[in-house]
């Protein structure tokens, strides 16, 4: 497992009200970008700057509740990415047993920062997802992290540049997202009672 730390919270220029949390391996150069919303970005920024406000926000409340119940956050793991969404687990201990709680990565990191708990990711997953510097300040990111609209734009460019190998990979990713989206819609329609 590789330990990560939050290095930056950046405004995303191409999408209004979206931010990017940059996690970097503690003893290395690999960086992991995670897109977060404005409320999550604010919670992360407050924790990063160690700012305490008069009334607890949600992440403080969660930390306080866990501690009041005798649980301590041991560590957080970033477990996977699916359709551009990160999945994490909070690992709590009460002295005897371990309790695992599924979480969005932005929330897990915000709680970890408040608790002083480490954040981990498998080395192989980090290698798959990390930003890689390609040339002179140009970076590449895995297509699984890019938004669908961005993938469509890059697909058009790849076709125009006759880069058919890249175009095929992009089309496969877009198609698989559309299929999963349709499956979810069909499942939710099946559950409706009239």
């Amino acid at each position: 497992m590789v330990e990560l730390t939050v290095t930056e919270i950046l405004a995303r220029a191409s999408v209004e009200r979206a931010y990017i949390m940059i996690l970097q391996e503690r003893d290395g150069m690999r960086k992991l970008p995670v897109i977060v919303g404005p409320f999550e970005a604010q919670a992360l920024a407050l924790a990063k700057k160690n700012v305490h406000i008069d009334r607890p926000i949600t992440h403080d409340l969660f930390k306080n509740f866990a501690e009041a119940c005798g649980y301590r956050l041991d560590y957080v793991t970033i477990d996977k990415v699916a359709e551009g969404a990160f999945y994490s687990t909070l690992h709590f201990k009460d002295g005897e047993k371990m309790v695992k709680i599924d979480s969005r990565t932005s929330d897990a990191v915000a709680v970890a920062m408040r608790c002083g708990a480490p954040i981990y990711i498998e080395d192989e997953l980090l290698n798959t997802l990390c930003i890689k510097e390609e040339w002179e300040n140009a970076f590449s990111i895995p297509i699984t992290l890019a938004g669908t609209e961005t993938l469509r734009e890059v697909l058009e460019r790849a076709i125009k540049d006759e880069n058919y190998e890249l175009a095929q990979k992009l089309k496969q990713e877009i198609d698989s997202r559309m299929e999963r989206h349709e499956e979810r819609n069909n499942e939710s329609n099946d559950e409706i009672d009239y």
Side-chain angles (χ1 to χ4, degrees):
M1 294 286 255
V2 178
E3 186 175 352
L4 301 172
T5 59
V6 177
T7 58
E8 298 176 87
I9 311 293
L10 307 170
R12 188 171 174 195
S14 63
V15 178
E16 190 176 322
R17 299 180 50 80
Y19 296 82
I20 302 173
M21 168 178 60
I22 303 293
L23 296 160
Q24 182 170 336
E25 63 182 320
R26 182 168 291 283
D27 298 317
M29 298 301 294
R30 292 178 293 178
K31 294 181 180 182
L32 178 66
V34 180
I35 296 172
V36 299
F39 300 115
E40 293 83 359
Q42 181 184 31
L44 291 159
L46 288 171
K48 182 162 177 43
K49 294 177 182 177
N50 205 20
V51 173
H52 298 283
I53 53 180
D54 292 338
R55 303 296 301 143
I57 62 172
T58 306
H59 302 97
D60 296 315
L61 177 65
F62 188 79
K63 172 189 177 273
N64 295 343
F65 179 77
E67 289 175 352
C69 292
Y71 285 92
R72 169 183 72 77
L73 182 61
D74 201 32
Y75 61 95
V76 163
T77 56
I78 298 173
D79 305 316
K80 69 176 183 174
V81 175
E83 300 177 45
F86 284 79
Y87 293 78
S88 288
T89 305
L90 296 154
H91 300 260
F92 283 92
K93 274 190 178 173
D94 74 349
E96 295 179 17
K97 64 180 177 185
M98 178 73 76
V99 175
K100 297 178 184 181
I101 299 175
D102 179 44
S103 175
R104 296 184 313 168
T105 295
S106 57
D107 292 328
V109 170
V111 173
M113 292 172 74
R114 283 164 173 74
C115 295
I119 304 154
Y120 295 111
I121 188 170
E122 289 290 342
D123 187 63
E124 186 177 323
L125 184 58
L126 179 59
N127 264 340
T128 302
L129 300 174
C130 71
I131 298 172
K132 297 178 176 76
E133 186 165 4
E134 299 292 339
W135 66 92
E136 297 178 17
N137 294 325
F139 296 89
S140 68
I141 63 169
I143 62 174
T144 54
L145 296 180
T148 304
E149 204 49 48
T150 301
L151 293 179
R152 286 189 177 117
E153 291 171 16
V154 176
L155 173 61
E156 287 177 25
R157 206 171 318 133
I159 292 169
K160 189 183 288 185
D161 294 344
E162 298 181 4
N163 185 345
Y164 300 117
E165 184 179 336
L166 175 60
Q168 181 183 8
K169 288 179 184 176
L170 293 165
K171 179 147 179 28
Q172 287 172 342
E173 177 66 19
I174 293 168
D175 289 347
S176 71
R177 289 182 185 191
M178 294 301 109
E179 287 171 13
R180 288 189 296 265
H181 181 72
E182 286 176 19
E183 286 172 7
R184 279 196 307 271
N185 282 344
N186 290 337
E187 288 172 5
S188 63
N189 288 339
D190 292 343
E191 295 172 5
I192 297 174
D193 250 315
Y194 294 100

